[in-house]
Amino acid sequence: MRIFKFGGASVKDAEGVRNLVRVLEETGTEKTFLVVSAMGKTTNAMEAVVDAYFNDKPSVSSALEAVQTYHFGILRELFPPEGHPVHEKVRSLFEEVRGFLAWNKSPKYNFVYDQVVGYGELLSTVIVSAYLNDSGIRCSWLDIRNYIKTDSNYRDVSVIWEKTQSAVSELSNRSELFVTQGFLGSDENNFTTTLGREGSDYTAAIIAYCLNAESVTIWKDVPGVLNADPRYFEETRLLELISYREAIELAFYGAKVLHPKTIRPCVENNIPLRIKNTFNPTHDGTVIVPDNGNGNG
């Protein structure tokens, strides 16, 4: 099984979703698991909804309406304006958010945050999976909350590995293309939990660990890992091959490579991790490997 993770920048608009299809046409889809982030800056926009809920209730409706307008704009570019079931699916997700905010009695910010913000990933995967199927790439949509089980320490959860391993392992004998959400899990009461920022990368690593995947590929809008931040240094070069240890060190010193918690599950099972450009899928990008980085182990 290969795990592909597509970040929000890769699916920020209709052209990004179309490009995702082109990537899969180039790479193939057999025994592939897609983990998809919320589209564009949706997580920030959903955080604004939660902030409004606690600090400025009259503005909740307009904050959520802005998120809905953005997603329906993408729908209009990808699907027929009427009759396609994806419109109703997306509309019903927004109604679920409104319903939760109407009946919720919990005063706990972190709990409300996890129940609301995670809808960004549910929306993106419903749209992506529908477009893949319409494009002739058959796929199965999965609710990752049924598979990644966590404690109830909302916004800062720990994965319950035994339960997660048991649930995810049930998928190991299925060969279809899966589309699922990053960032999300659920607790023992089936309330939504979130895995923290960079949580979609972590989701990909968790699934890879549980399925003992052959590789994890993080598709980004950059060519791979650079040796320095191009915002501050004029001359940078692509690092084609680095070790897990080097990747962790780069992250420690502020490089936006991968969070150490994302790397750890891959280290455990010696799973190579690739960083590739979603707009140049044939380019090798960067490979992070479980050795000293020179191929000698």
Side-chain angles (χ1 to χ4, degrees):
M1 186 74 77
R2 303 176 303 172
I3 315 302
F4 283 2
K5 180 264 179 174
F6 288 87
S10 295
V11 291
K12 67 181 179 180
D13 52 24
E15 181 52 33
V17 177
R18 293 188 191 103
N19 186 69
L20 185 152
V21 170
R22 289 193 286 269
V23 170
L24 293 177
E25 289 172 342
E26 186 76 40
T27 62
T29 60
E30 187 176 355
K31 290 214 167 205
T32 302
F33 212 119
L34 297 191
V35 175
V36 183
S37 298
M39 293 175 148
K41 300 295 184 182
T42 296
T43 298
N44 292 343
M46 295 301 281
E47 287 176 340
V49 172
V50 176
D51 287 341
Y53 177 77
F54 281 98
N55 302 309
D56 184 19
K57 274 199 167 53
S59 68
V60 168
S61 180
S62 60
L64 191 56
E65 188 65 33
V67 184
Q68 184 166 326
T69 297
Y70 167 65
H71 284 84
F72 271 96
I74 294 172
L75 286 180
R76 281 194 298 273
E77 292 192 53
L78 294 176
F79 301 97
E82 296 180 8
H84 198 290
V86 71
H87 294 283
E88 187 53 40
K89 288 180 181 178
V90 169
R91 191 172 289 107
S92 68
L93 287 172
F94 280 104
E95 288 309 309
E96 285 181 22
V97 179
R98 292 186 175 91
F100 170 79
L101 293 174
W103 61 253
N104 171 62
K105 303 299 181 186
S106 174
K108 296 179 179 179
Y109 183 95
N110 288 349
F111 171 76
V112 173
Y113 179 102
D114 278 10
Q115 307 320 301
V116 172
V117 172
Y119 272 91
E121 278 70 21
L122 295 170
L123 289 162
S124 66
T125 52
V126 162
I127 293 170
V128 167
S129 62
Y131 189 72
L132 284 170
N133 281 312
D134 278 13
S135 301
I137 299 177
R138 307 307 300 171
C139 65
S140 299
W141 183 90
L142 292 180
D143 188 335
I144 198 63
R145 295 173 296 182
N146 295 328
Y147 297 91
I148 294 183
K149 307 305 290 186
T150 74
D151 62 19
S152 299
N153 190 24
Y154 300 106
R155 293 192 73 192
D156 189 28
V157 296
S158 295
V159 174
I160 301 174
W161 284 97
E162 186 175 349
K163 289 183 177 180
T164 299
Q165 174 80 69
S166 176
V168 174
S169 294
E170 295 174 3
L171 303 170
S172 61
N173 293 323
R174 294 169 59 179
S175 60
E176 68 259 46
L177 174 68
F178 293 109
V179 178
T180 198
Q181 308 78 37
F183 189 50
L184 304 183
S186 68
D187 63 14
E188 64 179 359
N189 296 311
N190 290 323
F191 285 115
T192 302
T193 58
T194 63
L195 303 176
R197 286 297 192 150
E198 308 304 325
S200 291
D201 289 351
Y202 189 31
T203 302
I206 292 167
I207 295 169
Y209 174 86
C210 292
L211 294 176
N212 196 20
E214 69 172 51
S215 64
V216 175
T217 302
I218 308 294
W219 295 92
K220 291 176 165 287
D221 58 350
V222 295
V225 178
L226 303 176
N227 67 331
D229 191 330
R231 294 175 301 176
Y232 306 113
F233 297 91
E234 289 186 7
E235 294 187 12
T236 61
R237 63 182 177 86
L238 179 70
L239 301 174
E240 295 179 353
L241 184 70
I242 60 175
S243 69
Y244 286 129
R245 176 183 54 79
E246 289 167 324
I248 291 171
E249 288 175 356
L250 285 167
F252 179 80
Y253 288 108
K256 291 185 176 180
V257 185
L258 290 168
H259 194 284
K261 73 178 182 182
T262 296
I263 298 171
R264 196 166 296 118
C266 294
V267 172
E268 293 280 336
N269 274 3
N270 290 333
I271 300 168
L273 206 162
R274 297 181 172 88
I275 313 293
K276 297 190 68 170
N277 189 338
T278 187
F279 299 106
N280 189 10
T282 59
H283 190 271
D284 290 339
T286 298
V287 182
I288 305 173
V289 291
D291 57 24
N292 63 11
N294 61 17
N296 295 325

